[in-house]
Amino acid sequence: PGALESTGSHHASPASTSADEEDSPALDWERIVDQFPFGLIVLGPGQELEHENAVCELMLGASVKTVGGMEAWLALLCPDEEHRARVIESFREHVWRNQLTRTFSLRSLKGKLREVEFRSSLNRDGGITIVLQDVTEMLRAQEAQRHGKLKFRALFSTTENGVILADRTGRILDANPAFLEFVNLT
């Protein structure tokens, strides 16, 4: 076997010089952030909007910037007065003050009810960065799974036919009351 030789990088970019670095355009971070698969809101220490990516408006049909602030945005997305008060209070206490993750039911401007998770973290300047994610489908799937388990458990425990659940090795994991009665076990 021959000696291993360096083949160089698989990237076809020339080595840069300091003159090249000065002439290269700065990255367009706003365009990059707009491509994230989640909403991103940056609030200053007085809850003033510093940045909002395009996903926020796409997700719910309204922009924090055009509505006039975070609480006005939440109010717009909560048409029911009682629910609006609870969401805004929870936002203030849990998301803003304590940087806890909360999920709020918000109605998009298209009329669709969305479950949106707000995950916040404190910034050095005293503001916060909030990541918003639409978790509607995930929560619906979890709820459907929970209902399915409840239905199965009700059917399993009340059917008059004896039923056992076993693993691949044949070990019995569970038996319904009808089976226990059939084999005369408690």
Side-chain angles (χ1 to χ4, degrees):
L4 295 177
E5 293 182 27
S6 173
T7 59
S9 173
H10 62 274
H11 296 287
S13 61
S16 64
T17 64
S18 60
D20 290 339
E21 289 173 6
E22 290 175 13
D23 294 337
S24 66
L27 289 174
D28 183 357
W29 286 107
E30 285 191 26
R31 188 178 62 76
I32 292 169
V33 170
D34 282 342
Q35 302 301 312
F36 287 169
F38 50 82
L40 182 74
I41 296 173
V42 180
L43 299 175
Q47 218 180 86
E48 67 279 1
L49 180 68
E50 291 183 359
H51 184 77
E52 168 188 33
N53 73 350
V55 176
C56 295
E57 186 171 3
L58 291 172
M59 187 184 312
L60 295 159
S63 165
V64 174
K65 183 177 182 178
T66 58
V67 171
M70 195 67 195
E71 290 188 12
W73 183 70
L74 289 169
L76 176 68
L77 301 171
C78 298
D80 178 70
E81 195 171 323
E82 285 181 41
H83 179 65
R84 179 183 319 128
R86 285 192 309 270
V87 166
I88 291 174
E89 179 59 32
S90 181
F91 175 80
R92 288 175 185 160
E93 183 62 30
H94 301 119
V95 179
W96 176 256
R97 285 193 186 106
N98 296 309
Q99 288 80 49
L100 300 174
T101 299
R102 288 292 179 260
T103 301
F104 299 126
S105 297
L106 303 174
R107 188 164 304 282
S108 75
L109 294 188
K110 293 181 180 178
K112 292 185 177 184
L113 187 61
R114 310 307 305 165
E115 299 297 325
V116 180
E117 180 183 83
F118 287 65
R119 182 177 303 269
S120 64
S121 59
L122 188 62
N123 297 338
R124 289 183 188 168
D125 67 355
I128 62 172
T129 297
I130 305 170
V131 173
L132 288 82
Q133 189 161 6
D134 186 341
V135 294
T136 307
E137 295 306 317
M138 181 186 72
L139 292 177
R140 286 181 184 160
Q142 287 174 347
E143 187 65 16
Q145 184 179 31
R146 190 179 73 77
H147 280 293
K149 286 180 180 180
L150 290 173
K151 288 177 185 177
F152 170 78
R153 186 53 53 192
L155 180 63
F156 180 78
S157 61
T158 60
T159 186
E160 293 179 10
N161 297 323
V163 179
I164 60 168
L165 297 176
D167 65 11
R168 288 186 214 172
T169 66
R171 185 181 67 176
I172 295 176
L173 301 173
D174 201 357
N176 73 344
F179 179 80
L180 296 175
E181 185 179 322
F182 175 72
V183 295
N184 199 22
L185 292 173
T186 58

